């Protein structure tokens, strides 16, 4: 992570997000469920039209690029892999698979927050729906010693 006198917006958002994600079990649950939710949301959009999924992914990537170019590269990689996966699913399977993943992943998230004893951060600020994937990516970046 960068250290400077004035914290970057991404560092502030990640620190605020981390306040309700300190329990190790909740963190593990989030590392599984957050990417699953991203996949399911892209899948739900894909079921409307692949173009919708691409537009949603591009809009999120534009936000991530403003926050942190290295995070944007990681999210682009993740989104690309997810979109390829969706493209390879039989067309009729995208919606039901995405819906099941969406429900199960959100159940997991709320179980994690029950364990944590704190409500999900997006209840206070909807931006945290976009910060959750960065929180997970930050774990990988720290492990691989990639600056963000």
């Amino acid at each position: 992570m960068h250290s400077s006198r004035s914290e970057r917006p991404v560092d502030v958002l990640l620190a605020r997000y981390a306040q309700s994600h300190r329990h190790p079990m909740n963190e593990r649950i989030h590392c599984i469920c957050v990417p699953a939710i991203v996949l399911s949301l892209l899948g739900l959009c894909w079921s409307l039209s692949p173009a919708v999924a691409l537009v949603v992914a591009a809009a999120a990537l534009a936000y991530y690029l403003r926050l942190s170019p290295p995070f944007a590269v990681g999210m682009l990689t993740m989104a690309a892999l997810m979109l390829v996966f969706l493209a390879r699913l039989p067309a009729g399977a995208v919606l039901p698979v995405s819906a099941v993943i969406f429900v199960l992943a959100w159940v997991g998230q709320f179980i994690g927050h029950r364990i944590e004893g704190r409500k999900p951060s997006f209840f206070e600020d909807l931006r945290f729906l976009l910060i959750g994937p960065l929180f997970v990516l930050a774990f990988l970046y720290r492990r691989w010693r990639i600056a963000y």
Side-chain angles (χ1 to χ4, degrees):
M1 220 156 68
H2 296 272
S3 59
S4 66
R5 285 194 145 166
S6 61
E7 284 188 289
R8 301 171 307 152
V10 69
D11 297 322
V12 172
L13 290 165
L14 285 169
R16 283 185 50 214
Y17 189 89
Q19 289 172 356
S20 62
H21 301 86
R22 297 195 189 282
H23 192 284
M25 181 57 74
N26 189 27
E27 288 179 354
R28 283 192 285 280
I29 289 169
H30 275 62
C31 284
I32 295 166
C33 292
V34 167
I37 289 169
V38 173
L39 173 63
S40 70
L41 286 172
L42 287 174
L44 293 171
C45 292
W46 187 279
S47 69
L48 296 172
S49 164
V52 173
L54 291 171
V55 167
V56 167
L61 289 168
Y63 176 69
Y64 294 138
L65 186 60
R66 282 192 10 221
L67 286 178
S68 163
F71 271 149
V73 169
M75 293 303 297
L76 173 62
T77 302
M78 185 173 73
L81 290 171
M82 291 177 175
L83 291 168
V84 167
F85 171 77
L86 292 168
R88 291 180 180 222
L89 277 179
V94 173
L95 180 58
V97 167
S98 298
V100 168
I101 291 171
F102 184 85
V103 170
L104 292 176
W106 275 109
V107 167
Q109 293 281 82
F110 284 106
I111 289 170
H113 280 286
R114 176 84 175 172
I115 292 167
E116 180 84 39
R118 300 185 127 214
K119 65 183 177 180
S121 17
F122 73 85
F123 284 164
E124 294 176 18
D125 187 338
L126 287 177
R127 285 182 300 176
F128 288 117
L129 290 170
L130 288 168
I131 299 305
L134 297 185
F135 181 76
V136 173
L137 196 55
F139 275 120
L140 292 176
Y141 276 28
R142 284 191 298 273
R143 176 166 287 178
W144 296 335
R145 302 185 194 289
I146 298 172
Y148 57 84

